[in-house]
Amino acid sequence: MQIADVRVITSCPGRNFVTLKIVTDEGVYGIGDATLNGRERAVAAYLEEHVAPLLIGRDARRIEDAWQLLYRGAYWRRGPVTMRAIAAVDVALWDIKAKAAGMPLYDLLGGKSREGVLVYGHANGADIEETCDEVERYIGLGYKAVRAQSGVPGLDKPYGVGRGQMFYEPADAALPTETIWSTSKYLDHTPKLFEALRDRVGFGVELLHDAHHRLTPLEAARLGKSLEPYRLFWLEDVTPAENQEAFRLVRQHTVTPLAVGEIFNTLWDCKDLIQEQLIDFIRTTVVGAGGITHLRRIADFAAVWQVRTGCHGATDLSPVTMGAALHFDTWVPNFGIQEYMRHTAETDAVFPHAYRFEAGLLFPGDTPGHGVDIDETLAAKYPYDPKQLPIARLEDGTMWNW
Ligand code: EZ4
Ligand code: CO
C-alpha cells in the first residue's frame, strides 16, 4: 500500500484549520490535523514543501519508520511546527491502517479501557455571578466536570472570558489584541470565585481552572494553597515550564492537583515534571505532541509515576484531533480527563465525524479509522483568514505571558 497523494487543505469554517490528507494507491485515505493557532501557514508550508515529497511512494503501513524519518531525518528536532507536521502525518497513517484493518482506531491501539471519555466544558463569565450561572448551565447539559474562568475586577479582556457562546476562541484579530494583566488583582479574585461556585453547586461536580502561564512559581504556590478548600480537579498552567524545575517550588506548597503541557511538543519537554512527580496530569495532545505514536510514549512514561492524561481540546484543535484523541483516551490506561470545547456548526459541517456527546462523556464511535473526515468541497468555500492570539502586558506596559 503506497502513498500516492499528499494534500494540505487550509480552511476557515469559523476559525482556521490546516488538514492533511494522505491518499494511497489502494484508494484508502487518512486525515490528520496540522493546525497551529496563529501560525497556520508555517506548518502548511513545512508539510507541502519539505514533507510531502518524502512521503510519495512510501509504504503507508510503516508508521513508526515514517515518524523516525521525519523526526531524526530532519536533523532539526522538536518545536511546535515540526512536531505538528509529524503529528499530521502520523494521525493520517494511523487512520489509514485502522481503515485498512476495518477497525476503530482504539481497537488497533489495544482495545477499550473504558466505555466513555469523561470531558470538561468551559464556563466563562464576566464576573463571579455570571460564571456561576454558566457552570450551572453546563451541569444542566449533563457535564460532570467544568472549567471555570471569570473576569477580574479592574482588568479588561482577561484570559478565558468568552462572549456567552459554547466556545472560547481567543485568536480574534489579524494583529494581536492587547490585554492588560495584574497578578495581584487575579490572586485576590480567584479564591472568591471558587468559594462562590462551591456554595452554588456543591462538591458533586468536578471544577477546573486555567491560570494560563501568568504566575511566578511562588504566586502559583499561593494560588494552589488558597484554592485547596474548593477541591479542584486540577489547576492548569500555573507557571511557564520551559524550566521544568520551577514546578518543585509550587509542588512543595500545595496539594491542589496540577496540570500542564498543552504547549509541549515532546516527552523531553515534560520528562522531569513527570518523573519527579511535580504534576498530576499531562496536557499534551495528538496534534501538539507528534501524533498517536509519540503521545502514546508520553502516556506510558507518565503511567510509571501515576501521572494521568488530560488532552488539550480547545477549538483550535480540529475535529480530526478530537476524534483521534477520543480513540486514544478510550484506550489509554492512565486516562484522566479530556478537554472539550464545542466547534461551530460550520466547522462540524466541514469535518463530518463519528464522535458524540452524551451525559458528560464523549464516545469516539465505531467507524473504522479515527472516524473524522473532511468535506473538501465545503472546506474550499472558507478561505484562510489570518488571526493571531492576543498578547498580555502588565499595567505599566511590560510584556507578559498571555
Ligand atoms: O489558550 O488553545 O486550556 N485551554 C487553553 C486554550 C488556549 C488555546 C490557544 O490556542 O488554554 O484556550
Ligand atoms: Co490551557
Side-chain angles (χ1 to χ4, degrees), residues 128 150-153 155 158 181-195 209-227 230 235-239 250 395 400:
I128 290 177
S150 154
V152 176
L155 290 185
W181 179 250
S182 158
T183 298
S184 55
K185 286 177 180 151
Y186 166 80
L187 286 180
D188 287 344
H189 180 71
T190 304
K192 292 178 197 154
L193 168 67
F194 283 91
E195 185 184 11
H209 183 70
D210 192 343
H212 225 249
H213 321 276
R214 306 290 171 88
L215 312 177
T216 65
L218 192 71
E219 291 160 351
R222 191 177 130 207
L223 178 64
K225 215 170 188 172
S226 68
L227 294 178
Y230 316 116
L235 181 58
E236 175 180 338
D237 287 344
V238 280
T239 195
V250 188
E395 288 164 298
W400 199 243

Side-chain angles (χ1 to χ4, degrees), residues 37 147 159 210 212 236 262 283 312 314 316 339 389 402:
N37 203 2
R147 185 187 97 158
Y159 167 79
D210 192 343
H212 225 249
E236 175 180 338
E262 68 186 38
R283 299 262 300 132
H312 187 209
D316 49 306
E339 182 178 19
L389 288 165
W402 175 72

Side-chain angles (χ1 to χ4, degrees), residues 147-334:
R147 185 187 97 158
Q149 307 290 140
S150 154
V152 176
L155 290 185
D156 197 22
K157 302 187 210 129
Y159 167 79
V161 177
R163 284 146 288 213
Q165 295 150 326
M166 291 292 291
F167 57 90
Y168 167 63
E169 177 41 59
D172 60 356
L175 293 174
T177 302
E178 296 221 355
T179 65
I180 302 298
W181 179 250
S182 158
T183 298
S184 55
K185 286 177 180 151
Y186 166 80
L187 286 180
D188 287 344
H189 180 71
T190 304
K192 292 178 197 154
L193 168 67
F194 283 91
E195 185 184 11
L197 271 170
R198 285 306 188 194
D199 280 350
R200 179 86 79 91
V201 303
F203 282 77
V205 61
E206 301 290 0
L207 294 178
L208 300 83
H209 183 70
D210 192 343
H212 225 249
H213 321 276
R214 306 290 171 88
L215 312 177
T216 65
L218 192 71
E219 291 160 351
R222 191 177 130 207
L223 178 64
K225 215 170 188 172
S226 68
L227 294 178
E228 281 173 11
Y230 316 116
R231 213 208 65 213
L232 266 58
F233 185 87
W234 82 32
L235 181 58
E236 175 180 338
D237 287 344
V238 280
T239 195
E242 285 99 323
N243 176 7
Q244 297 175 50
E245 291 176 358
F247 270 70
R248 276 191 206 142
L249 190 144
V250 188
R251 195 61 153 178
Q252 280 159 9
H253 290 282
T254 181
V255 294
T256 292
L258 301 173
V260 70
E262 68 186 38
I263 70 168
F264 296 166
N265 311 122
T266 68
L267 178 54
W268 307 105
D269 302 329
C270 50
K271 72 175 177 48
D272 299 343
L273 289 170
I274 292 170
Q275 68 190 354
E276 290 189 37
Q277 294 177 286
L278 303 180
I279 57 170
D280 302 278
F281 297 92
I282 181 66
R283 299 262 300 132
T284 44
T285 192
V286 177
V287 65
I292 295 282
T293 297
H294 192 69
L295 186 63
R296 190 164 65 163
R297 296 212 163 105
I298 296 177
D300 283 342
F301 183 81
V304 174
W305 285 277
Q306 299 186 41
V307 173
R308 294 187 287 158
T309 65
C311 289
H312 187 209
T315 41
D316 49 306
L317 312 181
S318 94
V320 177
T321 284
M322 183 52 79
L326 289 171
H327 284 266
F328 171 82
D329 295 337
T330 297
W331 158 73
V332 71
N334 49 324

